[in-house]
Every structure is written in C-alpha cells, then in structure tokens.
Amino acid sequence: MRLLGAAWRIALLLGLVAFLARPSLFAPVFAPLTRFDAPPIYDGTSLLSLTLNHLALTGAATLCASLLALGLAILVTRPAGAEFLPFSRALANAGQTFPPVAVLALTVPLLGFGAAPTFLALFLYGLLPVFENALAGLSGVSPGVSEAARGSGMTGPQRLALVELPLAAPVILSGIRLSAIVSLGTATVGSTVAAKTLGEVVIAGLLSGNTAFVLQGGLIVAALAILINDAFLWVEGRVRARLG
Amino acid sequence: MIRVETLSKRYGEAPPVVDDLSMEVAAGEICAVVGTSGSGKTTLLRMINRLVEPSAGRVLIAGEDTRNLRGHELRRRIGYVIQGHGLFPHWSVADNIGTVPRLLRWKRAAIDARVDELLALFGMEPATYRDRRPAELSGGQQQRVGVARALAARPDVLLMDEPFGALDPVIRGRAQDELAAVQARLGTTVVLVTHDMEEAVRLGHRIAVMDAGRLLQCATPAEMMARPATPFVEALVGGAERPFRLLSLDRVEAAVEPGEADGPPIDAGANLREALSACLWSGRDALPVERNGQRIGRVTLAALRRRAAPEAGTPAP
Ligand SMILES: Nc1ncnc2c1ncn2[C@@H]1O[C@H](COP(=O)(O)OP(=O)(O)O)[C@@H](O)[C@H]1O
Ligand SMILES: [Mg+2]
C-alpha cells in the first residue's frame, strides 16, 4: 500500500516535470477539450516560467509569514511577552479574516498591479495557521520538562533552542504546511491583478472559453499541492520519529 | 552546607507561602522536608536554587549567598530532581544525563565517561541503555536517569521534590535504598521533599516538618519521635506506627548483647524492626546475630521492647 502510494507520487512528479518541460507532447491529450481549433496548450507565457513564478511567490510569502508568526508565537510564550498575546492573536486573525481578493482590491491602489499586492495577500493569509500551531506547540511542552530544563540551569534562549522548539517542531511544521498549501491555491487569484502565476492560464481559459487552459492550470496547481503536502508530511514524520 | 535565613515568599496579599523560615542542612546529610500538601515545601526547595526568588531572607550554600551568582549558573551547580522525572523526551538517555555537563562545556570524552559511570552506578548497563529514549525505559529506570542527570556535574547539593512519588511501592522502596547508598557514597548534601513520613524516616538524617509555610521542627527522626515540638508534629510522626518507626532507625548491631539463641540468625546490618518481626513470626524471645557470617551475640525481645519506648530511643540531649 505504501509502495503504491510512493509509486503514484513519483509518477505524478515525473508527469508534472514532463508536462512543464515539453507541454507540446501533451497537446493531443488536451486537443479534444478545445473548440474551433483553439490552441490546446497555453502559450501566452511558458508554463514552466509561470509555475516557477507561482512557486517563488508562494514560497516567499509562506516563508515570511512563517518567520513572523513563529517570532510572535515565541514572543508571547516568554514571560516578558505574555501581554502581547491578545495583540498577536488579533493580528493573525485579522490576516485570515480579510479574504485575499479583498486584500488585493484594497492594496492595488497603493502597491500597483503585479506581484506585490499578491505577496501581501498571501503573507497575511498565511500568518494564522503558523501562529496558532506554533503557540499550541510551544505552550504544549509538558510542565515537568520545562521545569527540568530550568532546573538544569538552561538560560531562556537555551530552553527555547534545545527543548521547546525541537519538541514543538512537528506541530509548527504542520502549521507551515497548511499555510503553504492554502497560499499555493490562493496565489492563482493574484493573476487578476496581473501577478505572473498559474492563475493566468485559468483566467485565459475562462475568458476565451478554452476548457483545456482551465484544466491545465488547475491540474498543475493541484499536482504541486499534492507533492508539497507530501513532502511536508514526510519531513514531519521524520522529525516526529526523531523525537521518539 | 545549606543555610536558610529568615526566608519568606508571598504572592500578593495572600498569607505567605513560606513564612520567615530558618534552617540548616549539614554537609553530607539528607534533610527530609515533610508537611501536608500546600504547606510550602516545593516553594522552599525552589527558593534554594532560585527557581523562585524569595520575597525576604537569603540562602547560603557553602557560606556563599546564592544571590551572588546568576540564577542559571547557580542551578548548574545544584542537582534538581522532580516528581515524574521530567526527562527530555527527544534526547537519548546519554544526552539527558549529560545535560548539565554540556551546559558547562565539558569535553565530549569527559561527558561520555561520566554518563557511563553514572549508568553503572545506578545498575543500568551503559551499552544497553545509553542510546535509548526515555519512553523506552520503565518508570523506575526513568526515575534513576532523572537522579543520574541531576548528579552528572558532581554537584555538592541535590534538591529532590517528591522524586519517588510516581513509583509503585515495590520500586519506590528499591529506589529509596539506592538513593541512600549513592548519597552515602558520594557524600552529597540532599534536601528531599516528601509528604510520606515513612520515606522521611527511612532516608532523612534530619526531618524538617512544615505547616502553613512555617517550620515546626527540624530534628533527627529519633528526637522528633521522642519529643515532638507540637501536636501537629506528634500526629505526623506518631500514631500507632511510632514504636515501629523508632525501631526501624537502629541497626541490630546497636542492640546486640552477649549470649546464645536458637534458630536462624539475623544480620547485624538489619534494622531492629526487622529483628522484632523475626522474633514475633518465629515465636522466639531472642535471635542469634551474625556479622559477615560470624556469630557476634544475640538480640532479645526484651531489649527490643526497651528500645521501642521513647525514653530509650534517644540518648539524652
Ligand atoms: N506562583 C504562585 N502563585 C501563587 N500561589 C502559589 C504559587 N506557587 C505556589 N503557590 C501557593 O503556595 C502554596 C504552597 O505551595 P507548594 O510550595 O507547592 O506546597 P507543597 O509543595 O508543600 O504542596 C500553595 O497554596 C500554592 O497554591
Ligand atoms: Mg510540592
């Protein structure tokens, strides 16, 4: 069963790579979905460069959101920072409350069209899952263990680095995974404000009534989501195993 | 070795949790702190290594005010064991035991050698246990690793907060004997918090009784049983158990007298309570006493009876 799962993941990855490297090979597959001799493969921008751009934007937003959210979670779980908990919660929740589309609409006048407003929307949207998970992970370290760490003479930073973060790592990682997957899907919306993401393919398909475009845009995003999710799960599993 | 001077801890307006408490623990002694739940035992212990900062008073260790060091530096010099061991679940047994030496930046080889030495001291084969995770140990083994971790950097002082509380009675008894043996061998000064009087009598050279944040009495077990300072102390050490506790404090060799007796002998190192038990069980009035397989005399029921009464239990002050 696990072997089968791994095999189909590898097939998916190879299929994706092949499709991005040589989209024309797949033209016969998509041709039946087009009408009036429309092109079966999107050629406005190369699919490979859109995919890389999409990944870069998602990755950057997830990375920045994770760093800020983790930093906030660390801050509010220190005795000195406990008073910032309500503020941090409110910030992370606000990021999630505004739908990305609204963020895009509100920020385009300030930031112009393109990647910047999309990055901001993804960044805000990605804060909450990481923050909540990091908070749960860091405050979930058993009192006996924290007490022993303090009693052994670890300084605050040593307790954080040697005990709390390692023990919270799996939970934090699953927060980052959640954030990354949501971001990956949401980044498609960025194309409405001219960010170069895979949403461009889908939108082009919708505007020209070309189902093949819509499908290939959607499929690439779906394949990326599955593969990235799996990669995170694998890392989480490894980390969990190391925690014993 | 440890000198507590007019130590107090208050939280807000509530009555003090530890109230103007002074006591002294001599080097190489085990001081057992007993008292009901909420009497301030844990707070007292945590003020010694400054996990809790006192509201008033001070603590001296080997004559030095503990406030002269930074908290974490002080704690690296003091062993600390808590109930439920608090082992780091993501580290191997060796890494757990090596915690403080690593914080003190000992050399790798010195840490490895120390870990193996301690595992051997606690009867755990180093090759077998070094690389295990805490979750792969029994409760008794986890507890031993907890004590080994506290002793790793050779502290002069060891603080223990109900260290055996989570163990079942059989394992607990063994762990107590083991602690007594290790302490006698290393000469560590120990403050042991417990709510179990039996444990206090068994391990404590001295017993400190606390109630509502105050120290009621600090004395040897025999003194305390003979002359309890307050009715509360009397109730704690007393009851129907008192004669047996008194007997359990002394070894057979202290009551041995010349003469013959029949039946299986008792070892001179056994305690008098065990001798009484043997007399009653076998219906004898006297037992032969042996040391290293040599007859050295006998112990009589009459002598045991005398020693189970308070006047004879303690030498006059
Ligand atoms: N951080 C704290 N804030 C307020 N009260 C506390 C705190 N720590 C302990 N106490 C109170 O101090 C009392 C003594 O606690 P403790 O020292 O743990 O007693 P023991 O170990 O003898 O059971 C308890 O009533 C407890 O509620
Ligand atoms: Mg306590």
Side-chain angles (χ1 to χ4, degrees):
Chain A
M1 200 56 222
R2 283 190 51 190
L3 208 64
L4 202 68
W8 112 256
R9 263 22 170 254
I10 291 171
L12 182 66
L13 179 64
L14 292 177
L16 181 65
V17 169
F19 182 57
L20 292 176
R22 287 266 182 284
S24 53
L25 290 179
F26 292 77
V29 182
F30 288 99
L33 296 166
T34 60
R35 288 178 299 169
F36 315 121
D37 281 336
I41 301 292
Y42 183 71
D43 52 4
T45 316
S46 98
L47 288 175
L48 180 62
S49 94
L50 283 179
T51 303
L52 293 178
N53 220 17
H54 190 112
L55 283 176
L57 194 57
T58 306
T62 305
L63 183 70
C64 294
S66 299
L67 288 177
L68 178 65
L70 183 59
L72 284 176
I74 289 173
L75 175 75
V76 302
T77 47
R78 303 307 97 187
E83 52 188 306
F84 294 107
L85 179 58
F87 165 77
S88 303
R89 267 233 155 91
L91 180 69
N93 275 302
Q96 191 94 77
T97 315
F98 287 105
V101 176
V103 175
L104 290 180
L106 291 173
T107 52
V108 163
L110 291 173
L111 300 174
F113 285 90
T118 311
F119 171 86
L120 186 67
L122 296 183
F123 168 76
L124 290 177
Y125 213 53
L127 286 173
L128 189 68
V130 181
F131 178 73
E132 286 297 339
N133 277 39
L135 200 59
L138 290 173
S139 43
V141 173
S142 90
V145 170
S146 316
E147 173 86 357
R150 231 153 81 72
S152 307
M154 291 188 192
T155 61
Q158 285 171 335
R159 290 202 302 279
L160 180 67
L162 299 175
V163 178
E164 293 171 19
L165 282 177
L167 288 176
V171 186
I172 296 175
L173 274 174
S174 69
I176 297 177
R177 170 167 58 89
L178 223 63
S179 175
I181 298 303
V182 170
S183 233
L184 192 77
T186 312
T188 51
V189 181
S191 294
T192 55
V193 294
K196 285 276 171 200
T197 73
L198 288 162
E200 183 179 319
V201 184
V202 177
I203 291 170
L206 291 173
L207 290 178
S208 63
N210 189 338
T211 314
F213 288 0
V214 176
L215 196 65
Q216 59 204 238
L219 282 176
I220 296 174
V221 175
L224 289 174
I226 292 173
L227 292 170
I228 291 174
N229 192 52
D230 282 348
F232 266 102
L233 281 177
W234 182 77
V235 174
E236 273 169 60
R238 294 295 298 255
V239 171
R240 232 179 263 278
R242 280 204 46 206
L243 295 185
Chain B
M1 185 70 196
I2 305 175
R3 198 181 153 91
V4 174
E5 290 182 353
T6 60
L7 203 60
S8 296
K9 181 67 190 180
R10 333 178 126 263
Y11 291 105
E13 293 303 306
V17 170
V18 171
D19 191 4
D20 196 26
L21 190 148
S22 299
M23 64 186 267
E24 213 165 324
V25 183
E29 270 193 3
I30 299 182
C31 174
V33 180
V34 292
T36 47
S37 178
S39 55
K41 308 181 295 292
T42 296
T43 307
L44 168 65
L45 197 73
R46 287 161 53 97
M47 283 195 283
I48 296 176
N49 66 3
R50 285 180 51 205
L51 281 173
V52 170
E53 294 292 349
S55 309
R58 59 177 192 163
V59 177
L60 307 179
I61 291 182
E64 200 191 344
D65 193 325
T66 52
R67 288 173 303 191
N68 294 346
L69 285 173
R70 297 205 293 176
H72 63 268
E73 285 165 353
L74 175 71
R75 289 189 280 276
R76 288 173 191 175
R77 294 195 189 177
I78 299 178
Y80 185 53
V81 183
I82 52 178
Q83 176 169 5
H85 64 74
L87 295 179
F88 304 121
H90 57 307
W91 285 354
S92 67
V93 164
D95 287 343
N96 266 285
I97 296 179
T99 303
V100 184
R102 273 202 311 284
L103 292 174
L104 293 171
R105 304 190 180 287
W106 286 19
K107 292 221 161 49
R108 182 82 239 171
I111 298 175
D112 291 345
R114 182 65 178 151
V115 166
D116 287 359
E117 182 187 346
L118 282 163
L119 280 173
L121 182 67
F122 284 93
M124 295 170 72
E125 172 58 40
T128 312
Y129 291 103
R130 205 189 283 127
D131 297 321
R132 291 214 187 159
R133 290 302 173 85
E136 297 165 321
L137 303 176
S138 71
Q141 290 169 336
Q142 291 172 339
Q143 195 277 340
R144 279 184 242 172
V145 172
V147 179
R149 177 177 65 182
L151 292 172
R154 300 193 179 86
D156 295 325
V157 171
L158 181 63
L159 306 179
M160 310 182 88
D161 195 349
E162 309 203 9
F164 310 118
L167 302 179
D168 65 68
V170 176
I171 308 283
R172 188 186 310 156
R174 215 178 293 155
Q176 288 165 341
D177 289 344
E178 200 169 60
L179 174 69
V182 167
Q183 188 273 341
R185 181 157 154 199
L186 303 179
T188 313
T189 307
V190 180
V191 180
L192 174 109
V193 162
T194 173
H195 58 248
D196 175 4
M197 196 62 203
E198 213 69 56
E199 180 167 291
V201 171
R202 186 160 176 172
L203 291 174
H205 298 112
R206 281 170 168 275
I207 300 178
V209 177
M210 283 184 72
D211 184 39
R214 299 190 143 267
L215 181 67
L216 298 183
Q217 187 171 14
C218 182
T220 64
E223 252 169 59
M224 190 166 281
M225 278 182 261
R227 280 181 289 282
T230 71
F232 180 85
V233 177
E234 182 163 7
L236 206 61
V237 298
E241 289 288 315
R242 199 143 54 146
F244 305 110
R245 287 198 178 134
L246 213 47
L247 284 178
S248 72
L249 292 174
D250 280 318
R251 294 186 187 285
V252 167
E253 57 198 348
V256 77
E257 55 193 74
E260 290 299 318
D262 296 325
I266 188 163
D267 191 82
N271 68 44
L272 293 177
R273 183 181 186 157
E274 289 163 337
L276 176 67
S277 170
C279 283
L280 296 177
W281 193 249
S282 60
R284 287 178 288 170
D285 289 327
L287 308 174
V289 178
E290 281 190 1
R291 184 191 288 134
N292 304 327
Q294 295 286 316
R295 270 304 143 94
I296 59 168
R298 63 176 185 174
V299 58
T300 63
L301 197 51
L304 293 175
R305 185 182 293 144
R306 276 198 306 279
R307 283 174 169 271
E311 299 77 36
T314 34

